[in-house]
Amino acid sequence: MSSLEAWRASGGTCGGERPVLEHTVDGGATWVPTTLGTDVGSVMAIRASSTALSIMVGTGPDCATTLHTTTDGGASWSPADDGAAGAGIDAEGVVLASSTIQPPCADPIEAFQGERTTVVICDGQLEWRAGSASWVDVPLGGVRSLAVDGDHYVLARVGASRCAGVQIEKMPAIGVTAATQTDIIGCADGLDDVTNVSIARAGDDLWLWAGDDVKVSADGGATW
């Protein structure tokens, strides 16, 4: 990823609407569909680096969770290592690098796993834990997606009183407690739909995908 290049995917539904994986190299002005195998029924997580793209997908008649990696822009795919696509959510629970665990809330929205911490975004709160310790409930409503900036998380939050679109905030990624606070970074407004929101970060570049709108910030979400 960079300020010009990014990947995105619609989730799809096994047995229903097929997922779509797309690639842009012009800052989101145009998106080119990337071929997925005919047995892929859903996409649950994607993670891009400078050399590869890894995806967590549901495949086959049972929608089994599998990991694939491409190093040639999707022309060919090979099995990926556990954790290569990041954490995801499937019918069995939260899929981490080492195991699938029961989610800490009824309807998890998004999951993240770093080297030392795990976060599950829920409706009305974040659930955080270090290693395999107990979950910490952080009462923070409206969070829809998360990215990482060193020892901080970057959050995309809707319904905030100071922002009519998606408010970008940051919070510590270590030592989190129920009283941990966030700091406002900026606001992405002028969006037609904030029902489905996703963010991704590469250096100081922050990408925001909300409905049909794609925005890129060169300063971590302060301006768009």
Side-chain angles (χ1 to χ4, degrees):
M1 287 183 57
S2 67
S3 61
L4 295 176
E5 182 179 14
W7 296 84
R8 69 179 183 181
S10 63
T13 304
C14 288
E17 184 178 1
R18 285 184 53 77
V20 177
L21 176 66
E22 297 177 305
H23 184 212
T24 181
V25 294
D26 56 12
T30 57
W31 293 86
V32 178
T34 301
T35 301
L36 291 168
T38 57
D39 63 336
V40 174
S42 67
V43 176
M44 293 165 279
I46 64 174
R47 178 172 287 178
S49 70
S50 60
T51 58
L53 172 73
S54 297
I55 58 177
M56 180 187 298
V57 296
T59 59
D62 297 328
C63 204
T65 299
T66 56
L67 299 171
H68 299 310
T69 291
T70 179
T71 57
D72 53 17
S76 62
W77 296 90
S78 59
D81 295 332
D82 291 343
I89 300 167
D90 69 6
E92 301 300 321
V94 180
V95 183
L96 304 178
S98 59
S99 63
T100 298
I101 63 172
Q102 290 300 303
C105 59
D107 296 302
I109 296 169
E110 184 176 292
F112 164 81
Q113 183 179 27
E115 293 182 0
R116 293 171 291 174
T117 66
T118 304
V119 178
V120 177
I121 299 174
C122 302
D123 187 13
Q125 80 268 15
L126 297 183
E127 297 291 339
W128 176 93
R129 73 178 189 181
S132 58
S134 299
W135 292 101
V136 175
D137 184 348
V138 185
L140 190 63
V143 179
R144 293 294 177 264
S145 189
L146 175 152
V148 179
D149 180 9
D151 58 359
H152 284 79
Y153 301 125
V154 179
L155 310 176
R157 190 178 185 188
V158 302
S161 60
R162 298 185 183 182
C163 178
V166 177
Q167 186 162 282
I168 306 301
E169 305 179 10
K170 69 176 182 178
M171 65 173 282
I174 55 176
V176 174
T177 71
T180 294
Q181 300 294 306
T182 65
D183 294 318
I184 298 173
I185 298 175
C187 173
D189 54 15
L191 304 169
D192 292 331
D193 180 13
V194 293
T195 303
N196 297 305
V197 175
S198 181
I199 59 173
R201 185 177 173 277
D204 290 331
D205 299 316
L206 188 69
W207 286 72
L208 168 68
W209 180 23
D212 293 330
D213 293 310
V214 174
K215 290 180 176 285
V216 183
S217 170
D219 52 15
T223 60
W224 297 87

